[in-house]
Amino acid sequence: MNNINNVHNCVGCLSCVDRCPKHCIHISNDSLGHIHTHAEETQCINCGLCVKSCPAIQKPDYRKPNKAYALWRKDDTLRRQSSSGGLAAVLSERMIAEGGIVYGCAFEKPFSIKHIRCSSADELEKLKSSKYVQSKWNSYTSALKRKAIWDYAAENGKKVLFIGTPCQVATVALYTKKFGTNLFTVDVICHGVPSIQLFKSSLPTDIVECNIDKLTFRDDTAYRLKIYKSGKIIYKRELHIDLYMKGFFKAIFCRDSCHECKYTRSERVSDLTIGDFWGVDKSQIHTNTDYGLSLALVNSEKGHAMLRNIVSEVNMVERPMEEAIAGNKQLRFPMKKTWRSKIFKTLYPICGFKCSAVCSMPDIVLKNMIIRK
């Protein structure tokens, strides 16, 4: 059958669910909470639309970056409210100021991480700060019936900025080949995505169930989980005791497809690639990099246009492409699956998060205990 049942590296985008005219593709979760799909072949009409929309099957439209920049927002107060150097926030604000629409990853009540549509500056506040969890993709496919991204913008002559992981950008690109010049895409350098289930299981039950308002994973360049309710911090976790973040850095919790990701390479699929500029020559950057520093790889003329449009709001220093790529492993290859992932995946359904995480990282846990003494 000409459907997605032979896909072994599903990225969980659910575009196949949206495209299927017979609604015969079902959604399930594996033991770690990762989303997967399966076509009911007795109902499948072999139209192949699911295959055509699948970023795991279709060949990406790779673009070779031609410029690399270190950037940071001129306003340090606003800069420190964002991840990295504030580049994503500036791009989003400019798009909204010019009457456009922005799609990005946000925390939404009662407790979900998903892509939302923003048409005002106030709504952009939800997009600030990194979210080290896979966002709900169907919030911009099935739930919005595709019109929210391309038909809506095309009918109203509006520009659209989409910010997501490389596989998310590739998914949108497959939907919007006829969109034309109104779609601007930004991919975030990705380390792999854990599920929301895993993240929730790393938290106390009362925190998960108390209808929180906001969560952040970083303060400037320091990794520190904070959870807010009614404007107050009700839960905080420092990196040295944060098993979730330590497992994230070791790619223990991410999808199997992340270990085989075809988007973790120097060639990109977006107009602009952004992330932290790890490994930058600090002698060439005249700012406090502890406040965050953005990397931008320009992959198209649209990417150049986006940066030209914000020159009054950011400081921008061109850097060698080799420096940018050397400091980010995910611009060269995906995170490898190790014994840690196998141990965690085996134990988690039986022992839960904490025990499984400790058993998969005994050396790291012991090292941190010794350092803290």
Side-chain angles (χ1 to χ4, degrees), residues 31 78 101 160 181 210 219 223-224 236 244 295 332 363:
S31 61
L78 294 175
I101 302 294
V160 173
T181 60
C210 76
D219 287 335
Y223 294 92
R224 183 179 296 112
K236 182 166 67 173
Y244 179 83
L295 165 66
R332 291 176 282 152
D363 51 332

Side-chain angles (χ1 to χ4, degrees), residues 1 10 12 15 84 99 103 119 159 173 275 295 298 354-355:
M1 297 290 288
C10 170
S15 61
S84 307
Y103 286 84
S119 56
K159 293 181 179 179
L295 165 66
V298 184
K354 185 174 182 179
C355 176

Side-chain angles (χ1 to χ4, degrees), residues 318-337:
E318 186 173 353
R319 302 302 304 148
M321 189 68 66
E322 296 75 18
E323 181 179 81
I325 293 174
N328 279 279
K329 293 180 181 179
Q330 284 67 43
L331 293 177
R332 291 176 282 152
F333 45 77
M335 297 289 280
K336 295 180 180 178
K337 181 182 286 188

Side-chain angles (χ1 to χ4, degrees), residues 31-99:
S31 61
L32 302 187
H34 297 302
I35 296 171
H36 297 277
T37 56
H38 178 80
E40 178 54 63
E41 295 194 345
T42 58
Q43 301 174 41
C44 178
I45 60 174
N46 205 33
C47 66
L49 290 177
C50 59
V51 173
K52 293 177 181 177
S53 68
C54 179
I57 296 176
Q58 297 302 316
K59 183 179 178 180
D61 180 17
Y62 291 124
R63 304 170 182 182
K64 186 175 181 179
N66 54 63
K67 293 285 183 181
Y69 294 98
L71 298 99
W72 63 99
R73 192 165 194 163
K74 291 180 178 179
D75 186 320
D76 278 344
T77 300
L78 294 175
R79 174 185 175 189
R80 299 183 70 174
Q81 294 175 6
S82 302
S83 300
S84 307
L87 176 56
V90 176
L91 292 170
S92 300
E93 290 164 11
R94 175 63 65 175
M95 181 62 71
I96 295 295
E98 295 180 351

